[in-house]
Amino acid sequence: MSIWADAWTYVSTGVNWTGKHGLTHPTFDGGWKFAHDSIAALTIEHLYMSAAAVITAAAIALPLGMALGHARRGGGLTVMLSNVSRAMPTLALLTLFAASSIGFGNRAVIIAAAIFAFPPILTNAYTGMANVDADVTEAAVGQGLTRLQVALRVELPLAWPLVASGLRTSASQTVATVPLAALVAGGGLGVIINTGLATQAYGQVLAGGVLVAALTLGVDAAMGLLQRRLTPLPLRVGARAVA
Amino acid sequence: MHSAAPNPWLSWRYVESNWAEISHQLSIHTTLTLEAVAIAFALAFPLAVLARNVRWLTRPILGTASVLYTIPSLALFALLAPFTGIGRTTVLVGLVTYALLVLVRNILTGLEGVDPDIVDAARGLGYSKSKMLFAVEVPNALPSIVAGLRIATVTTVALVTVGVVVGYGGLGQLMFRGFQSSYRAEIATSSLLCVALALVLDLAIVAAARAAMPWARRGRSA
């Protein structure tokens, strides 16, 4: 069990959290980057990359899924998109980006992670909107609401539990995927794992794995709380992921 | 970064001259995937039946499986390495872990979704518990079980590549080496083969399911 002891030593050493030279350091071209010897800096970088990926994906997938679901069209397309994306290995996408003009580093990782964050958001937004009782939307139209009003004021609140669980699935999946960035010279908590692996410091690998798992569970819990807060009261019956 | 040397995305010459290695990694990739899904299914089925029959076990079983799922693949493979060594076993254990959650959840959902009237009718006919399970409940739950198998298989194909961190990643091996040497054809070829493998296995499961469920061939699909 010395690996657990090593992991504990790694996590409980103060300098591993703060880094030897602080959280950030300057780059050659006058910018700055997160220090890769600091758990705190890597956590922030990890969260930043995950958030950027999920927000990018949501900015496209939410309106698209809602529009398709509102029109009740394109169900086949969303299913196909989500299936194909499962088959595409993240590593393949990351290495493909690295070899193309996108290059490697954090930007490529954010784009790759956004592509993987896309399908759960799209599928759930579509399913949620498309499954709203047709009688309800008809009644809303009958009351003189415009199509946009029906979509935003009637369908969206009713579809929200499913839409939110899509966002949640996508977020925790992204936080758990971003560690692969370390394999292609990106940042985030994967760096701890990768460095540990390279130097055969398995305690550090364990520590990195536990940190990422904890972060994933934490993000999922936070999203769950937010989801509950934003769910209209009458709909707060255990709505869970349909990823 | 690259000089004048040509570095195409796809090169038939690369495929031809390296076919021995590509096919070797492809077969590793395929056997690993099939083995992992088969083992995961063998574990998931009794677990799901147990979770269904013993009410208070449902939450712990599903909960453990979903916590396992949050462990990043990179970390899991790396973590298992000191215990199970570098290579095949490590990757297999990791893959089974990830396939397990999907399968348990879908088998459980399928079993729970069986129409109670059907179960009642079978009970009226005097079916024993095991006969009920295999002759009535499982066939009725098949669509959901098949859906789980498809997701598990396709995600496993993609996950095998991460096994590269412990030196046993099938096509991921080629992907990663292509990345290290900035050789595009190697990356693109192995990526395409991965996706193709996933599609072929997916279609095979769909075909097998159609053969196993003659009653579902018309009308609604899985």
Side-chain angles (χ1 to χ4, degrees):
Chain A
M1 284 288 103
S2 77
I3 291 177
W4 287 94
D6 290 348
W8 176 246
T9 316
Y10 179 79
V11 174
S12 57
T13 307
V15 74
N16 285 340
W17 285 85
T18 55
K20 288 193 182 72
H21 312 286
L23 294 186
T24 61
H25 52 72
T27 54
F28 299 114
D29 53 3
W32 59 276
K33 55 183 279 201
F34 286 107
H36 280 181
D37 60 350
S38 147
I39 300 175
L42 287 171
T43 307
I44 298 170
E45 193 175 23
H46 200 114
L47 285 173
Y48 149 70
M49 287 199 288
S50 310
V54 174
I55 290 169
T56 312
I60 307 168
L62 268 187
L64 184 64
M66 280 168 58
L68 289 174
H70 175 74
R72 288 160 206 253
R73 257 170 222 196
L77 174 87
T78 53
V79 171
M80 197 194 74
L81 262 180
S82 65
N83 280 348
V84 171
S85 73
R86 278 210 184 89
M88 187 74 183
T90 320
L91 186 64
L93 211 54
L94 285 171
T95 49
L96 279 175
F97 280 171
S100 72
S101 56
I102 299 172
F104 43 81
N106 288 352
R107 196 166 52 122
V109 174
I110 291 171
I111 299 175
I115 291 176
F116 285 99
F118 194 83
I121 304 178
L122 180 72
T123 320
N124 278 31
Y126 173 84
T127 322
M129 296 290 278
N131 285 350
V132 171
D133 194 339
D135 291 348
V136 175
T137 46
E138 215 169 289
V141 173
Q143 294 205 329
L145 266 65
T146 64
R147 281 174 67 92
L148 188 67
Q149 282 173 325
V150 173
L152 293 181
R153 291 211 217 145
V154 179
E155 289 177 329
L156 181 59
L158 285 172
W160 174 251
L162 211 57
V163 176
S165 83
L167 282 169
R168 191 172 160 187
T169 311
S170 156
S172 51
Q173 186 189 307
T174 305
V175 176
T177 308
V178 163
L180 288 179
L183 285 179
V184 294
L189 288 170
V191 171
I192 299 177
I193 299 172
N194 209 32
T195 317
L197 202 61
T199 54
Q200 298 195 324
Y202 291 115
Q204 188 182 333
V205 174
L206 177 60
V210 171
L211 284 170
V212 180
L215 192 66
T216 312
L217 290 174
V219 166
D220 189 51
M223 296 281 289
L225 223 64
L226 196 69
Q227 173 188 359
R228 233 185 118 66
R229 267 294 186 67
L230 294 177
T231 303
L233 261 180
L235 292 173
R236 282 190 196 172
V237 218
R240 265 299 283 177
V242 190
Chain B
M1 197 162 47
H2 328 287
S3 49
N7 191 7
W9 284 104
L10 290 169
S11 148
W12 188 243
R13 274 190 49 201
Y14 161 72
V15 178
E16 253 178 341
S17 48
N18 293 279
W19 181 245
E21 197 199 0
I22 297 175
S23 59
H24 174 64
Q25 298 292 6
L26 183 62
S27 78
I28 288 182
H29 208 116
T30 315
T31 46
L32 258 181
T33 307
L34 294 178
E35 231 172 292
V37 174
I39 297 176
F41 188 80
L43 291 174
F45 188 78
L47 272 179
V49 172
L50 192 69
R52 203 262 325 240
N53 290 344
V54 189
R55 273 282 138 224
W56 59 270
L57 277 176
T58 314
R59 280 189 145 261
I61 289 178
L62 279 182
T64 315
S66 34
V67 168
L68 283 177
Y69 208 66
T70 61
I71 301 175
S73 49
L74 176 64
L76 185 62
F77 288 140
L79 281 181
L80 288 169
F83 302 104
T84 50
I86 296 277
R88 190 179 172 84
T89 322
T90 310
V91 180
L92 200 56
V93 173
L95 293 175
V96 168
T97 311
Y98 287 113
L100 204 58
L101 169 69
V102 181
L103 288 173
V104 170
R105 195 187 273 163
N106 271 51
I107 298 172
L108 190 60
T109 316
L111 290 178
E112 282 182 337
V114 177
D115 190 340
D117 288 350
I118 298 178
V119 178
D120 240 19
R123 196 172 293 134
L125 287 170
Y127 275 35
S128 68
K129 253 198 146 167
S130 65
K131 194 170 179 199
M132 176 90 84
L133 181 65
F134 289 106
V136 178
E137 291 172 309
V138 169
N140 271 290
L142 263 185
S144 174
I145 297 177
V146 169
L149 266 180
R150 291 177 64 183
I151 301 175
T153 310
V154 169
T155 30
T156 303
V157 171
L159 258 177
V160 172
T161 58
V162 182
V164 74
V165 296
V166 290
Y168 206 85
L171 293 166
Q173 217 76 20
L174 303 178
M175 254 172 234
F176 196 61
R177 202 178 48 206
F179 162 70
Q180 285 173 326
S181 55
S182 302
Y183 185 33
R184 290 173 176 172
E186 194 165 29
I187 304 175
T189 307
S190 47
S191 308
L192 284 177
L193 279 175
C194 254
V195 177
L197 178 62
L199 290 180
V200 168
L201 292 180
D202 192 44
L203 285 177
I205 295 177
V206 173
R210 272 173 66 94
M213 292 187 284
W215 62 88
R217 249 173 249 170
R218 286 191 178 276
R220 63 204 174 83
S221 63

